[in-house]
Amino acid sequence: VDRSVVATGGEVGAIKLWRRAGDRLELMYVLASDGDPVEQIRLSANGRILAALRRDTRAIELWHLDTLPPALETLGLRSPISE
């Protein structure tokens, strides 16, 4: 993943992946949410793993981004199915 990808999370619990497009962001993908707000979110150095800390349950979720559907190829991730 290049630096044009941004991950966000918030009060509603959804985690969103965005692509920078000039001076704006385009929503590319929304990860499932159980409604527990996201307190912190981090991408690994190689951009393949996203970690999210949930506020209420204090659970840590790990998303292996390159195992998500092929739609994520638009973010520069390869689907293992297409390899």
Side-chain angles (χ1 to χ4, degrees), residues 7-73:
T8 63
E11 287 298 314
V12 297
I15 296 170
K16 298 178 181 180
L17 298 176
W18 306 79
R19 178 184 288 290
R20 291 180 203 267
D23 61 350
R24 62 187 181 88
L25 295 175
E26 295 176 350
L27 180 61
M28 300 301 293
Y29 203 82
V30 179
L31 300 174
S33 169
D34 63 0
D36 190 359
V38 176
E39 184 168 309
Q40 292 184 32
I41 194 164
R42 297 283 187 270
L43 281 170
S44 64
N46 67 5
R48 300 285 184 215
I49 299 173
L50 182 143
L53 172 62
R54 297 295 179 166
R55 184 180 66 202
D56 296 340
T57 61
R58 306 307 291 170
I60 295 174
E61 297 174 337
L62 296 176
W63 296 87
H64 295 266
L65 299 180
D66 51 1
T67 64
L68 294 176
L72 289 181
E73 289 180 19

